[in-house]
Amino acid sequence: MLGGEIRSFLTCYNRSSACRDLCQWFTGASPELREMIERTGLSHLPHAMFKNLDTPLLTAFVERWQPDTNSFHMPFGEMTIQLHDVWQILRIPIDGPMVSESPPTDSIHAMCMMMFGVSQAELLLPTSHLWAGGGVFVEAVQGLLAEGRDDATRATAWMWLMLGSILFVDKSGDRIRPAHLHEVYSGVSGAAGLSWGSATLAMLYRQLGIASRGDCSGICGCLTLLQAWIYEYFPVFRPHRGAHLIPADHVRALRWEVGVPGKTTARLDIFRGQLDRMTAAEVTWLSYGPVADDDRLRVSYAGWIRCRDIVEPYMPDRALRQVGYTQPIPAERIRPDKAVRPWKSLSYRLTHSLVTVEDTWRRFPSARGIDRRRCRPVGYDPTACDPAYMDWYRQYSHPHLLHAPQAGPVQHARANSEFWVSWLWRVTQLSATHRSDEDVPRIKREMDEFMDAWHRAS
């Protein structure tokens, strides 16, 4: 709510022009330069970013974000973006040391001075077009990619620009944070092996929390990750053009041909209503197949994730259905030492013990966050949750956002073949596994509902 009225859609920050330039430069670079960058495991990212963002769709999901739990609160329970989602959607490293160093201002100035070949006075001069408001101009970094520069400088500049324009997008528009230079300043090989996936997710969590505040009008971070995550789990919101067929080990963000989504209040209102009426049966809970035993993707990790001075609680036990387990009442949420989340987004602050954060991350998997021995596989029904879960959830959460949720079955704005197939699969499974006379009326009712919905959508 804003001034007693429901706010309109957010401004979604996207550096699509910088991504285009990065792609063009990389295609024309020498084999030696491309190989240097490819060894970081991040060279593919400019090709995977969405050129267009669906602003009303992202806004509708931001409205459901609860920063206390770092999860979307849906009518049927919590869901969240997890580390294995980042890996599947972007294919960037999850394991490895955190991106945790925050270089002091003097060090940042010195690195930038060496990159641009200027003095500190020249760097900070208002008319230099290099530095302003704590950020370095994108155009200035692009100038370092020009012919005539040595290969090390050009590779470093490409990585610097890529990090600031893709994984850690801010709201400055024409600038990137100079701190992203820190990991690649001594050579792009320094970027290899770091947990860029956890850093990307930590920043997105923080931006979702800030964007959920009443006075906030925009959201940044890696919004391709957020939008592709929605497509993976919610078939009804997928683009009309459908999904591309890609190899199983490829970046899943490349599956979607987004087009130019309509940016209208009417679409936002439709999405709000759809989310308020949504049921667990409409979610593709295991979009990537079984992932529950993959410690390489830190599936059972719970604790903290970090991107420099940004530290966020990470609680995947609140959304276990996304990894194939029945959802129980979750454990007590992980609390920061201090949290200030007021209506004014500029005052948003979280304080943590950084020693505890690093120790929790480093000790995994010997100090496991989620005890899988206590988890129950979902079996044939991926929507499964403990009998007491929904009563607990309704007591402590906000399952609906609208004042008067529409009663009755969900009416979808358009048919989606994957959604109908998954529903038919569920009803078929019910028929195959419940054959007592008492179950016949319920099975028939579900079949009738499916056929009615199919005819309405056809």
Side-chain angles (χ1 to χ4, degrees), residues 82-102:
Q82 301 187 26
L83 289 169
H84 73 276
D85 293 310
V86 181
W87 165 254
Q88 294 286 354
I89 292 170
L90 298 182
R91 291 283 163 167
I92 59 178
I94 298 299
D95 214 350
M98 287 181 164
V99 180
S100 57
E101 292 191 40
S102 297

Side-chain angles (χ1 to χ4, degrees), residues 33-254:
L33 261 175
R34 291 201 300 270
E35 184 180 357
M36 289 173 63
I37 296 171
E38 285 169 353
R39 285 198 293 265
T40 67
L42 305 174
S43 62
H44 60 281
L45 285 174
H47 302 274
M49 294 299 105
F50 294 161
K51 295 181 179 64
N52 303 293
L53 296 174
D54 194 337
T55 298
L57 180 62
L58 298 182
T59 299
F61 273 83
V62 169
E63 291 173 348
R64 292 190 166 272
W65 184 258
Q66 298 293 335
D68 281 333
T69 58
N70 275 345
S71 61
F72 298 101
H73 285 212
M74 311 296 288
F76 46 81
E78 293 179 56
M79 297 184 70
T80 194
I81 309 170
Q82 301 187 26
L83 289 169
H84 73 276
D85 293 310
V86 181
W87 165 254
Q88 294 286 354
I89 292 170
L90 298 182
R91 291 283 163 167
I92 59 178
I94 298 299
D95 214 350
M98 287 181 164
V99 180
S100 57
E101 292 191 40
S102 297
T105 302
D106 288 347
S107 296
I108 292 175
H109 286 170
M111 290 186 290
C112 291
M113 287 156 51
M114 289 296 295
M115 289 294 293
F116 293 116
V118 298
S119 66
Q120 185 171 18
E122 292 171 320
L123 175 70
L124 303 180
L125 192 68
T127 58
S128 69
H129 303 293
L130 297 175
W131 181 292
V136 175
F137 285 103
V138 168
E139 187 175 350
V141 181
Q142 289 173 329
L144 298 174
L145 298 172
E147 294 287 348
R149 302 275 184 174
D150 61 90
D151 282 359
T153 297
R154 298 177 78 196
T156 298
W158 192 93
M159 288 292 298
W160 186 15
L161 183 59
M162 185 277 298
L163 292 172
S165 301
I166 292 178
L167 297 185
F168 309 112
V169 178
D170 61 24
K171 298 178 182 178
S172 63
D174 57 354
R175 284 160 287 162
I176 59 175
R177 295 297 173 189
H180 304 316
L181 176 60
H182 177 69
E183 283 76 20
V184 296
Y185 176 70
S186 299
V188 295
S189 59
L194 294 176
S195 179
W196 293 107
S198 65
T200 300
L201 188 57
M203 181 170 178
L204 184 57
Y205 275 7
R206 177 61 57 86
Q207 295 306 321
L208 282 163
I210 292 172
S212 70
R213 302 301 88 192
D215 76 326
C216 190
S217 60
I219 182 171
C220 56
C222 186
L223 298 184
T224 290
L225 170 61
L226 173 57
Q227 189 162 314
W229 180 86
I230 294 170
Y231 293 160
E232 291 287 349
Y233 285 92
F234 302 91
V236 73
F237 297 129
R238 290 173 182 169
H240 286 278
R241 300 181 185 184
H244 298 294
L245 293 177
I246 62 171
D249 60 345
H250 275 44
V251 182
R252 290 183 69 95
L254 293 172

